Amino acid sequence: MWRHVGRIHPEGERVAQRIRGAADLPKIPIPSVPTFQPSTPIPERLEAVQRYIRELQYNHTGTQFFEIKKSRPLTGLMDLAKEMTKEALPIKCLEAVILGIYLTNNMTTLDRFPISFKSHFSGNYFRHIVLGVNFGGRYGALGISRREELMYKAPVFRTLSELIFDFEEAYRRCWHTLKKVKLGHCVSHDPHSVEQIEWKHSILDLDKLTREDFRKELERHARDMRLKIGKGTGPPSPTKDRKKDVSSPQRGQASPHRRNSRGDRRPSGEKKPADSKAMPDLNGYQIRV
């Protein structure tokens, strides 16, 4: 960066040296990773985690600072989240989800699952993701976005459908039309697990669903998550300490759990009749979320 400044600035390298050598410049504040007492209630912990994510700020630079591959095992993603806390650089929505998982791993009574959105505005499609949470039967979300209403949701929603409908209304206020919602299963609390996150167990196409069918599919997914938690997923997932006996899944090779879950994805249902509503002419603008 400084070499670039030296090439394009009229004063060349002298301006870079003058800035870097200045002793009176204020230090850039680095957000502190939240720590909690054992007695701190879960809702207060979630607020602190969201506050930390917000303090990192949204990355508007156009350059992604952290490369996230969704196919990586959970342990690798948690190592990346630890690096995020050290670097304290601005992040985008997917990085915020990984960071949210990392910062809530010790909240074992909290269920975490990814929620992905696909919206349409002015001829373009936009994608967004948040970390859904469920505590004591109440749903909420953690995340970051350009839009305040598309990130944090306190765990106050009685059902998963209420939470998703709230996001849908938030998209509507941004003049976006929500097209698809993808819901994953609960993420393990074991930071050393070599399992992969199941990002899209249920894929719901809103153009093919009536309002009531959409609600039923959301509640069915919530029920599936409760059943999975109640029954457990078999033996404990392999950890770094057990790698002598269990090898990490190879790239491109899906684990048996993922193959089964893909087969269990539910169809979107009947096609919803088109509802043409008058919209203002906003073709000259791009409202990003």
Side-chain angles (χ1 to χ4, degrees), residues 13-281:
E13 295 183 357
R14 287 179 296 173
V15 66
Q17 294 173 355
R18 186 165 66 248
I19 295 173
R20 300 181 75 178
D24 57 343
L25 293 178
K27 290 186 177 181
I28 299 175
I30 298 178
S32 299
V33 178
T35 57
F36 310 105
Q37 297 293 330
S39 59
T40 305
I42 294 296
E44 291 185 16
R45 298 187 187 194
L46 292 176
E47 288 181 7
V49 170
Q50 180 62 41
R51 195 179 308 118
Y52 173 76
I53 292 174
R54 194 192 306 269
E55 288 173 354
L56 290 177
Q57 300 182 13
Y58 189 87
N59 180 6
H60 294 276
T61 65
T63 300
Q64 188 169 345
F65 297 124
F66 304 98
E67 182 183 7
I68 296 179
K69 295 181 180 179
K70 290 184 175 181
S71 59
R72 288 188 70 181
L74 186 60
T75 178
L77 294 175
M78 294 301 95
D79 290 340
L80 183 59
K82 190 182 298 183
E83 182 183 345
M84 291 183 205
T85 61
K86 292 180 180 178
E87 298 295 337
L89 293 171
I91 58 176
K92 291 189 176 182
C93 57
L94 182 56
E95 295 151 304
V97 168
I98 301 302
L99 196 56
I101 294 172
Y102 173 74
L103 295 173
T104 57
N105 270 336
N106 60 348
M107 306 179 198
T108 55
T109 57
L110 181 75
D111 300 328
R112 298 90 44 84
F113 57 97
I115 307 174
S116 303
F117 303 98
K118 180 181 179 180
S119 63
H120 180 265
F121 173 76
S122 188
N124 293 309
Y125 289 94
F126 301 87
R127 289 167 176 82
H128 181 48
I129 187 169
V130 296
L131 181 66
V133 297
N134 179 13
F135 173 70
R138 302 289 178 171
Y139 290 88
L142 298 171
I144 198 167
S145 171
R146 297 180 182 91
R147 301 283 170 173
E148 183 73 23
E149 55 267 50
L150 293 176
M151 38 199 289
Y152 176 66
K153 304 287 184 182
V156 297
F157 297 91
R158 295 176 300 172
T159 62
L160 177 59
S161 58
E162 286 185 7
L163 173 65
I164 301 301
F165 290 161
D166 188 82
F167 272 107
E168 184 183 25
E169 178 60 30
Y171 271 105
R172 192 175 292 115
R173 291 195 296 270
C174 297
W175 302 108
H176 279 234
T177 302
L178 190 60
K179 291 293 186 180
K180 282 187 180 181
V181 177
K182 299 178 182 179
L183 301 159
H185 258 313
C186 292
V187 180
S188 170
H189 286 270
D190 180 4
H192 305 299
S193 172
V194 296
E195 292 181 352
Q196 294 176 333
I197 296 176
E198 190 172 357
W199 297 97
K200 44 185 180 180
H201 178 77
S202 298
I203 303 176
L204 307 180
D205 189 337
L206 275 67
D207 288 337
K208 299 179 180 179
L209 289 168
T210 65
R211 188 70 171 178
E212 181 62 18
D213 289 338
F214 184 35
R215 186 192 64 78
K216 288 180 179 179
E217 289 296 327
L218 290 171
E219 295 314 315
R220 185 175 296 173
H221 181 84
R223 188 163 57 249
D224 288 347
M225 287 196 295
R226 290 195 299 269
L227 290 174
K228 184 176 181 180
I229 295 170
K231 292 179 180 178
T233 56
S237 61
T239 64
K240 286 182 178 178
D241 297 334
R242 286 176 247 158
K243 280 187 178 178
K244 292 182 180 179
D245 300 322
V246 182
S247 60
S248 174
Q250 299 297 317
R251 179 175 296 183
Q253 176 184 356
S255 65
H257 176 70
R258 286 181 61 83
R259 285 199 296 269
N260 292 340
S261 61
R262 285 177 180 171
D264 291 340
R265 288 180 190 163
R266 306 186 181 280
S268 293
E270 299 297 328
K271 181 152 184 84
K272 183 174 83 171
D275 182 15
S276 58
K277 295 184 179 179
M279 292 284 289
D281 184 10

